[in-house]
Amino acid sequence: MRIEDYQSLAMRTSTEGHDRAENGCLGLIGESGEIVDAVKKWRFQSGENPPVPVDKLIDECGDVLWYCAELAEGLDADMAELYRRFSEGFYMDLHPLNAVSPLPLLAVHLANAAMRPYAELYDSPETIPDDWRVSQAKCEIVGIMVTVRDILELHCGSTLEEAMQRNIEKLKRRYPDGFDPERSLHRAE
Ligand SMILES: [Mg+2]
């Protein structure tokens, strides 16, 4: 799947009439927490030298990407365009991450980045110009995507494109007729 195609496909399972920006912000925190939890279980609850839970991480990275799409949509932004324009060297400026960045560190960076958009958009809004808050939140989307990419490429032998593909396939299986709030509350997986 091309990164450019993902957002519109992801939005197939986003219902109309809700605040996508706020849902995106809160969902990013929850799903990045699921990645931290998977990394914690891998490190401490899986015996000696367990294999990295690649499938679980790719699945959860896909969930994070879905909420990037939701937030981008809520900000009238295109996540692929943001990523293409700003991902180059993103972390080289902010964080000295490289090919040996351990998985727990990347998971924590992700959780940290995922926390920011909510505060940027909703904390003390009367004192900060709207366009500044929105541009900060868009910047965070890029940081989150870069960190997800690094988790996928450095530790899962995967890519953003593959995680996006698998996420869309999962949602198609789960919601063959589009998103259904009832099914989301009472699903088997
Ligand atoms: Mg999840």
Side-chain angles (χ1 to χ4, degrees):
M1 161 167 313
R2 296 182 328 139
I3 293 174
E4 284 73 12
D5 297 329
Y6 176 71
Q7 187 168 326
S8 62
L9 289 168
M11 288 301 96
R12 192 174 157 273
T13 49
S14 177
T15 49
E16 296 290 330
H18 70 284
D19 186 333
R20 290 200 165 102
E22 186 175 4
N23 188 41
C25 288
L26 294 173
L28 282 170
I29 297 168
E31 295 297 342
S32 65
E34 291 190 32
I35 289 181
V36 173
D37 192 55
V39 170
K40 186 261 302 187
K41 288 187 171 123
W42 165 67
R43 290 274 290 123
F44 297 105
Q45 293 165 245
S46 304
E48 288 218 358
N49 298 319
V52 172
V54 166
D55 284 326
K56 171 75 172 163
L57 289 172
I58 295 173
D59 183 59
E60 297 301 347
C61 283
D63 291 345
V64 171
L65 291 167
W66 192 92
Y67 281 104
C68 285
E70 174 87 338
L71 175 56
E73 195 79 14
L75 300 178
D76 290 324
D78 180 331
M79 66 190 281
E81 194 207 329
L82 291 172
Y83 181 76
R84 298 289 183 216
R85 279 173 60 195
F86 299 115
S87 64
E88 191 82 4
F90 188 88
Y91 269 115
M92 300 320 292
D93 298 334
L94 298 175
H95 304 290
L97 296 184
N98 55 46
V100 295
S101 293
L103 184 53
L105 179 64
L106 287 173
V108 171
H109 274 303
L110 177 64
N112 189 10
M115 295 281 187
R116 290 190 209 119
Y118 188 93
E120 280 160 356
L121 288 172
Y122 302 107
D123 196 6
S124 303
E126 69 280 5
T127 62
I128 300 170
D130 275 2
D131 55 351
W132 188 87
R133 287 186 286 114
V134 168
S135 68
Q136 286 297 110
K138 287 179 183 173
C139 182
E140 302 300 351
I141 292 174
V142 180
I144 291 164
M145 289 177 73
V146 167
T147 312
V148 167
R149 179 200 67 196
D150 288 349
I151 289 172
L152 290 165
E153 291 187 359
L154 299 176
H155 296 284
C156 301
S158 185
T159 59
L160 278 178
E161 288 85 346
E162 185 189 14
M164 288 172 169
Q165 177 77 38
R166 284 170 61 158
N167 180 251
I168 294 300
E169 285 167 4
K170 177 175 85 171
L171 293 170
K172 272 188 182 154
R173 283 196 303 276
R174 196 177 278 176
Y175 308 112
D177 304 314
F179 182 73
D180 177 345
E182 265 308 291
R183 285 187 72 144
S184 78
L185 290 173
H186 305 291
R187 63 188 163 76
E189 341 167 13

